[in-house]
Amino acid sequence: MTENLDNIKKQFYEELNSVNSYAELERVRVAYLGKKGLVTEQLKNLRYLTPEEKKTAGMMVNSLKDEIEQAIISYQGTLKEKEYRKEIEGAERYDFTIPTNRELGTLHPITIVQRRIEEIFMTMGFIIEDGLEIQTEYNNFEAVNTPKDHPARDMQDTYYLENGQLLKTHTSAAQNTIMRKYGAPKKGEHLKVLFPGRCFRNENVDASHENTFFQLEGMMIGDDISIANLIYFMKVLLTEVFERDVKIRLRPGFFPFVEPGFELDINCAICGGKGCPTCKNSGWLELLPCGMIHPNVLRMGGIDPEKYTGFAFGLGLTRLAMMKYNIKDIRLFNSGNLKQLKQFTR
Ligand code: PHE
């Protein structure tokens, strides 16, 4: 009996060590511990023994059974390890030191202009925020003083979702959220925020109209902000972007969320202000709508308009990129035409 058990044990370990898969392991388990397994047979055979013999033999068979069970369980771990090793050895290897002649990507012209303006404003203490592209009607219109049925909504038709939300028509949609996030500035400080973003309008697309375009909005709020501050920041911005000394002028312009509101023009660089086709002979190019934030907008943002004032401007980033790089067709920006888009590097 003992000899027999020793043989079974030896044979078991030999078989176990050559197992390479879970299926094989199961086969071995059944061969020893299954209904007709070798160890099970031994247990069955106990009944032919005398009660005395049964006691010791029973203990021996059972301990072999336990040992085999344990060995099988722990071999599952070994199998897992074998599998990992196989996976690692078979994995694709990369040699990061091999030189490549693959071309690097380039930044999109709008990204280049946006980053440049962000840099300029960050050096002047502005923080950068970004607003959501899917907005509530409240944020896009009501919170910027454009109630339902206001005629100004007609110029900003957009795409509505089934749940009543919409694709934002201007970066101003973030004004309310930003005011609520930061609140009124402390005494002697200013809330200065720049928030670029993608905007959408229901437009018939042509060389100068797109349904998807970028704006870059800025806002400065404090207890001592006037139009003089607005003019100063706009001049710095434009001088840096165009890398020349620009002249600006303000004309009255209407937007429900500013009072007074302006259209800011810069002097035409092409003719130096004398008049040419680009500036339609006026010597000026319309560039930047802006104004002093309307008291209603401050109030809805949780800021007391009796104590605080502020300015806001909404730069057409896509438009600015067209002017800076002399791009004649707005459709280029969303075209994915890399041949053209990658020409712009700074
Ligand atoms: N949101 C306005 C537009 O898209 C632009 C604007 C922003 C005007 C801030 C004034 C102040 O038409």
Side-chain angles (χ1 to χ4, degrees):
M1 173 98 195
T2 320
E3 203 182 313
N4 204 358
L5 290 182
D6 280 348
N7 282 340
I8 294 178
K9 187 167 163 176
K10 222 174 110 206
Q11 192 189 330
F12 166 73
Y13 279 112
E14 268 167 27
E15 283 183 36
L16 184 70
N17 285 326
S18 65
V19 159
N20 274 318
S21 72
Y22 287 103
E24 279 172 45
L25 186 63
E26 178 60 10
R27 224 175 295 129
V28 171
R29 192 190 66 77
V30 172
Y32 288 84
L33 304 176
K35 254 190 201 152
K36 290 187 182 141
L38 288 175
V39 176
T40 317
E41 290 291 317
Q42 293 297 317
L43 282 168
K44 281 183 193 160
N45 287 342
L46 288 174
R47 69 186 133 132
Y48 304 118
L49 300 177
T50 66
E52 274 309 297
E53 289 170 326
K54 220 187 243 178
K55 217 175 175 185
T56 37
M59 263 160 53
M60 286 188 331
V61 182
N62 272 314
S63 90
L64 177 61
K65 184 176 167 237
D66 290 347
E67 184 180 332
I68 288 180
E69 272 171 1
Q70 282 309 313
I72 286 177
I73 290 172
S74 77
Y75 200 82
Q76 289 177 346
T78 314
L79 267 184
K80 199 156 253 161
E81 213 181 292
K82 278 190 182 182
E83 247 173 33
Y84 284 148
R85 201 162 296 140
K86 232 199 278 170
E87 212 172 289
I88 293 169
E89 277 161 12
E92 201 179 331
R93 275 156 205 282
Y94 296 102
D95 183 349
F96 294 104
T97 62
I98 294 175
T100 133
N101 56 3
R102 246 182 269 153
E103 259 179 78
L104 283 180
T106 54
L107 293 177
H108 192 278
I110 290 184
T111 308
I112 298 173
V113 181
Q114 178 182 324
R115 291 201 179 166
R116 178 72 195 111
I117 299 175
E118 285 177 1
E119 252 171 46
I120 297 165
F121 275 86
M122 280 195 289
T123 63
M124 299 192 290
F126 278 68
I127 45 179
I128 317 284
E129 279 280 332
D130 57 2
L132 300 170
E133 288 178 359
I134 295 177
Q135 273 291 3
T136 58
E137 226 183 300
Y138 176 82
N139 278 339
N140 197 80
F141 291 122
E142 265 111 81
V144 285
N145 206 28
T146 316
K148 270 199 173 53
D149 305 323
H150 192 293
R153 282 203 187 191
D154 288 354
M155 288 176 307
Q156 302 199 6
D157 187 20
T158 182
Y159 303 91
Y160 286 81
L161 277 64
E162 274 166 12
N163 66 6
Q165 291 186 318
L166 48 81
L167 299 188
K168 74 159 179 247
T169 62
H170 53 178
T171 40
S172 308
Q175 283 193 12
N176 188 271
T177 312
I178 292 172
M179 286 182 203
R180 295 204 165 270
K181 176 172 174 187
Y182 293 101
K186 288 196 213 109
K187 185 101 201 104
E189 290 181 9
H190 299 114
L191 175 59
K192 295 190 275 189
V193 196
L194 194 74
F195 38 113
R198 198 193 312 264
C199 302
F200 309 85
R201 286 186 199 179
N202 182 9
E203 297 275 4
N204 287 324
V205 176
D206 64 26
S208 49
H209 296 88
E210 248 292 11
N211 51 31
T212 307
F213 55 97
F214 284 81
Q215 288 188 343
L216 183 145
E217 186 140 337
M219 192 163 74
M220 179 170 182
I221 298 173
D223 57 10
D224 56 353
I225 301 298
S226 73
I227 296 172
N229 300 103
L230 169 64
I231 293 173
Y232 169 78
F233 280 99
M234 297 307 95
K235 256 199 108 149
V236 174
L237 162 66
L238 298 171
T239 306
E240 292 285 338
V241 170
F242 287 101
E243 298 174 52
R244 66 179 171 95
D245 190 22
V246 294
K247 286 198 180 63
I248 62 169
R249 74 171 185 189
L250 293 177
R251 285 178 295 119
F254 176 77
F255 303 92
F257 32 91
V258 282
E259 179 58 39
F262 307 105
E263 291 284 359
L264 187 149
D265 302 336
I266 62 170
N267 62 325
C268 179
I270 296 182
C271 60
K274 283 191 206 78
C276 68
T278 305
C279 60
K280 295 188 193 117
N281 281 322
S282 71
W284 296 94
L285 290 168
E286 180 181 321
L287 188 64
L288 222 174
C290 53
M292 300 304 289
I293 302 173
H294 196 288
N296 288 348
V297 176
L298 288 172
R299 197 176 298 114
M300 280 185 277
I303 295 177
D304 183 358
E306 300 292 330
K307 294 198 191 120
Y308 298 95
T309 51
F311 69 75
F313 63 91
L315 181 77
L317 201 54
T318 302
R319 183 99 194 283
L320 185 69
M322 287 174 84
M323 285 172 74
K324 183 170 161 77
Y325 297 120
N326 204 6
I327 295 172
K328 296 270 183 322
D329 193 327
I330 195 171
R331 289 169 289 197
L332 172 71
F333 291 106
N334 296 338
S335 69
N337 181 343
L338 295 183
K339 223 172 173 175
Q340 300 217 24
L341 289 169
K342 71 181 184 190
Q343 298 172 54
F344 309 102
T345 52
R346 67 178 287 263

